[in-house]
Amino acid sequence: MTTDHLLEANEDGVAVLTLNRPDVLNAMSRPMLEALLSAMRRLGGDDAVGCIVLTGAGRGFCSGGDVRAMAERTETAAGTLENKAADLRERMEISRLLHESPKPTIAMVNGPAAGAGLSLALACDLRFMAAGARLSTAFANVGYSGDFGGSYFLTQLVGPAKARELYLLAERIDAAEALRLGIVNRVCPDDKLREETMVVARRIAHGPRVAYRYMKRNLNAAESGSLKDVFDLEAWGHTRSGETEDHKEASKAFVEKRQPVFKGR
């Protein structure tokens, strides 16, 4: 699916998805979310892609739901309460796909990320944030309880006590505080954010893709699975990645004292 509300480009094996409603800080729209859901489903199996970067156009990452549309009730599905909840649940699959995609995902937080926009960033594997950006759960400010998995991801990152504080008070936090809390991995100068993010994204895109797939599966299982579950997954994934051309190339490169050249297979 294509829409002006989501831009997609492949840059040297990196799929860059850009939320594109800069006039409203990339507030979510139905066309944007439908296109993003479609893109995430497709990119997970795209051999031309080794890493996915999510960012926003203009001066914002994503301000969350469109509050004007909320007031006018133009973004809500018609029908029963059950139908409305099912419709939202379907769109929330975007966060699950960002989290579980076999391709590593990076949120390039170039500006304000709030509400469900913050949830999307939290769903990614890595978060690189511009020094001038700000984050907020924001849901309490509009009388919502929260969606797109933010309560899960934030609790995993900062612990239950701090997650409750950030949700209940909905205060904005700056990049330095986000880094201190472990919400983001790196803070970059505003004018260097894209450059520094893409260096890492390309490194991942040209890395051992099969190993990354199983690495992500292990780490996701470690969030809620038992030690036995993780052991079982590690044993399978480690054995599988040991059969790849990438592992053989890396072993040879180690002996030859050179950098490996990965092929992603």
Side-chain angles (χ1 to χ4, degrees):
M1 170 175 286
T2 60
T3 173
D4 290 341
H5 290 187
L6 180 73
L7 306 178
E8 180 177 342
N10 187 317
E11 301 183 22
D12 195 19
V14 179
V16 180
L17 301 175
T18 304
L19 308 177
N20 189 40
R21 300 183 72 204
D23 53 321
V24 288
L25 292 178
N26 303 311
M28 294 173 170
S29 66
R30 182 171 291 274
M32 174 192 289
L33 294 176
E34 289 176 349
L36 187 54
L37 181 58
S38 177
M40 286 304 304
R41 284 174 170 159
R42 170 172 43 80
L43 292 171
D46 189 340
D47 291 340
V49 172
C51 183
I52 300 169
V53 170
L54 180 66
T55 191
R59 62 186 184 87
F61 177 77
C62 179
S63 59
D66 190 330
V67 179
R68 183 178 298 276
M70 293 176 195
E72 297 171 353
R73 298 292 176 179
T74 58
E75 288 291 323
T76 304
T80 65
L81 183 60
E82 289 78 8
N83 287 341
K84 293 176 181 179
D87 179 69
L88 174 59
R89 178 64 184 83
E90 172 67 11
R91 286 176 282 158
M92 285 169 58
E93 280 291 286
I94 295 166
S95 290
R96 184 187 66 78
L97 291 168
L98 285 167
H99 187 58
E100 296 182 3
S101 171
K103 311 298 173 69
T105 56
I106 303 176
M108 183 163 64
V109 184
N110 54 305
L118 175 59
S119 298
L120 291 181
L122 297 175
C124 294
D125 296 310
L126 301 174
R127 282 157 296 283
F128 289 8
M129 185 175 177
R134 298 291 184 272
L135 309 178
S136 174
T137 61
F139 294 113
N141 296 335
V142 290
Y144 267 131
S145 57
D147 56 4
F148 283 81
S151 54
Y152 173 85
F153 297 120
L154 196 58
T155 299
Q156 293 287 333
L157 287 167
V158 303
K162 191 63 181 182
R164 282 165 168 75
E165 177 186 333
L166 293 172
Y167 261 75
L168 296 173
L169 302 184
E171 295 175 339
R172 292 197 307 167
I173 61 174
D174 61 21
E177 179 69 356
L179 183 64
R180 187 188 72 80
L181 290 172
I183 296 175
V184 299
N185 300 87
R186 298 185 187 182
V187 172
C188 310
D190 291 11
D191 61 347
K192 296 290 185 181
L193 175 66
R194 181 178 177 83
E195 176 185 344
E196 294 186 17
T197 301
M198 292 304 292
V199 166
V200 173
R202 289 190 182 96
R203 175 180 173 182
I204 291 172
H206 293 281
R209 294 184 183 182
V210 176
Y212 285 153
R213 172 191 291 264
Y214 289 103
M215 198 178 293
K216 279 196 63 170
R217 192 174 71 163
N218 295 341
L219 292 167
N220 287 345
E223 292 173 349
S224 58
S226 67
L227 180 60
K228 178 185 179 301
D229 293 337
V230 176
F231 274 6
D232 290 343
L233 289 173
E234 283 189 344
W236 166 252
H238 199 74
T239 303
R240 168 66 184 93
S241 56
E243 296 297 316
T244 61
E245 293 180 27
D246 282 342
H247 167 67
K248 295 168 186 175
E249 157 65 9
S251 298
K252 184 178 179 182
F254 178 82
V255 172
E256 297 174 354
K257 294 181 170 53
R258 60 175 176 81
Q259 289 296 314
V261 179
F262 294 117
K263 301 296 184 181
R265 55 182 184 268

